[in-house]
Amino acid sequence: MHIRSLGRRDYGAVEAAMREFTRSRTSDTPDEIWLVEHEPVFTLGVAGRDEHVLDAGDIPVLRTDRGGQVTYHGPGQVVAYPMIDLRRLHIYVKEYVYRLEQAVHDVLAEQGLTGHRVSGAPGVFVRLDDPAGHARYASNVADRFAGLAKVAALGVKVTNHRTYHGVALNVSMDLRPFARINPCGHPGLRSIDLATLGADAQWGAVADRLGARLATLLSP
């Protein structure tokens, strides 16, 4: 497993590089994890609906071939792109997504925070009233996101059992652009970062932790 820290890069260029890596790899190509910080951009998944972009302003909007709706990438966010051959792990996409989320849960736990899952909504959430509490979150029937904020978003692509795209963890960033969209297609969903939660907000340190956890969970 190779972990590559790419620094701050343009989203379009990195996406093109991921697609080329996936297209040209063979059964002998080692898996890789790319860690990157993007310039401001809104991205829409294959089924992404334009109406979920409320006011892009001066931030570009790009269509991608990942799953999911709309999300925001920007400085202060760690984006991890695992390029994994799922056949080596003998797992399917559902388990792969679970492991991506688990890596974020582990990073949060190292800093005394508790991540939560919401059925039907990939990603990692925290309770605003008790970010460190371990009580299981009971979804509200009327509003399954009541009392929660999203700290990490997922969007993946799998072709011929090989993955790209990945997971974005908010570390220390300007959160205002999230108000210009319906994050992941959910109107009113709040986004939060580690800095706001009082956790370690050093990009490099968080990137290293996330990369290490992903490598452990995604290695045969």
Side-chain angles (χ1 to χ4, degrees), residues 21 40 57-58 65 70 75 84 88 139 143 150-151 168 170 197 199 205 215:
F21 176 90
D58 59 352
D65 61 352
V70 63
I84 306 296
R88 292 177 184 162
S139 181
D143 179 6
K150 195 166 194 175
V151 71
N170 303 336
L197 294 167

Side-chain angles (χ1 to χ4, degrees), residues 141-153:
V141 174
D143 179 6
R144 58 181 170 161
F145 302 113
L148 297 177
K150 195 166 194 175
V151 71

Side-chain angles (χ1 to χ4, degrees), residues 42 51-60 70 174-183:
F42 295 120
E51 57 263 38
H52 288 309
V53 180
L54 307 177
D55 179 18
D58 59 352
I59 298 177
V70 63
D174 180 0
L175 295 168
R176 290 175 295 178
F178 286 104
R180 300 191 197 180
I181 60 175
N182 293 327

